[in-house]
Structure formats: C-alpha cells, structure tokens
Amino acid sequence: MGLVVADDGWRMPDWFWERVEGLLPARPVHPLGCHRPRVADRDAMDAILLVLRTGMQWNALKVRGPCSSSAAHRRFQEWEQAGVFHEIWRQGLLDYDQAVGIDWAWLAADGAISKAPLGGAKTGPNPTDRAKRGRNVRFSARERGSRSGWRTTAPTATTSRSSPRR
C-alpha cells in the first residue's frame, strides 16, 4: 500500500517491535472466516506511529503509509481501548526511571480555566453570527395557514419563536 518501498526512517526498529508485539491483544476471529486478510500488526503500528509523530491526517496514509487509513485508524481504536498505548508509555517510563532516574519528589502541573483576558465589548459579535441574509425554517403546529406546520420566514434575532405570518 502506498509509495513506501524501503525503510524511510519512520519505521519502528526491530528491538522496539519485539517489545510492542507482546503487548498486542489476540487477533479477533471473524465469525464467517471469509473476510479480507487483516493488515499485518507491524504495518498498522508503523502507520499509527507515523500519524502520531508527524501530526499528519489519517487519510494521508493513502499516499504515504504502509497500510490504508481506515485499517490504521480501526487498529488504533482497537489497541487504544485494549490499553496498548498506555502500557507502552508506562513501560517507557519505567525503563527511563531505571536508566536515568525520575525525580518523583519534584513534579509540576500547569493549567488554567478562565475567561480570555482580552474579551469583552472589544471582541465584537459572535464569529458564527455573520449577519448573513437568509431564511429560517421553523415548525409550529399551532400556526394557521400552513397544513404541515412548516413556515419559511426571514431571519430574526430570536429564532426560538415563530413570527406571525403577514
């Protein structure tokens, strides 16, 4: 699949694959046994890591990746729910702690939930309200003159009520 024929520097090294392969859940068995062959786990993991490392879109795998975007994304969801990526991260932390050491006595976290500092009257109207002309389609079962109850009216500031028909 795609244009990649040889190792382009984005592939997993063999030593890493040997560790990851043991974390993968057993392959599900198709009840009829008559579906297309499943993409190789290593190709799927190479595609997933390519997307995660580069930030490219899943659909870009159609051109560059080792497997299709739908197969890679399906496998990503399957393995994420099985906890594979969490376990890779956990084992990586343990290996780093053993090799270099993590100073658990000093930890920092940063975050904020507040209003934007430059908000207020200067920001202008809601960016989704572009004051475009158009029409509003509203439904009211109590309106006269419309058998179905659907009416087309000019847009107004309040769209929760149906304006009287003229």
Side-chain angles (χ1 to χ4, degrees), residues 26-154:
R27 291 175 156 220
V29 178
H30 194 275
L32 301 176
C34 59
H35 69 294
R36 291 180 64 177
R38 189 173 160 105
V39 172
D41 288 341
R42 185 166 184 164
D43 288 344
M45 185 61 81
D46 278 334
I48 291 167
L49 294 179
L50 177 65
V51 169
L52 295 177
R53 283 185 283 189
T54 63
M56 65 191 257
Q57 296 178 354
W58 289 102
N59 285 334
L61 288 172
K62 292 177 185 174
V63 175
R64 180 162 174 79
C67 69
S68 71
S69 59
S70 58
H73 190 261
R74 192 178 322 110
R75 201 73 58 87
F76 172 73
Q77 290 178 324
E78 178 185 323
W79 290 342
E80 194 278 326
Q81 289 174 358
V84 171
F85 298 104
H86 182 268
E87 186 61 22
I88 292 171
W89 173 78
R90 191 184 74 77
Q91 287 187 13
L93 272 180
L94 292 174
D95 288 349
Y96 183 83
D97 189 26
Q98 186 178 19
V100 177
I102 298 174
D103 183 9
W104 294 106
W106 187 87
L107 300 173
D110 187 16
I113 298 176
S114 64
K115 291 185 176 182
L118 302 176
K122 295 180 183 179
T123 59
N126 182 338
T128 60
D129 179 21
R130 298 183 182 95
K132 292 183 178 178
R133 300 184 70 149
R135 64 184 184 144
N136 289 340
V137 178
R138 301 180 181 136
F139 182 80
S140 174
R142 297 183 184 153
E143 289 291 334
R144 291 187 194 179
S146 174
R147 288 180 153 185
S148 66
W150 290 99
R151 296 191 39 224
T152 302
T153 61

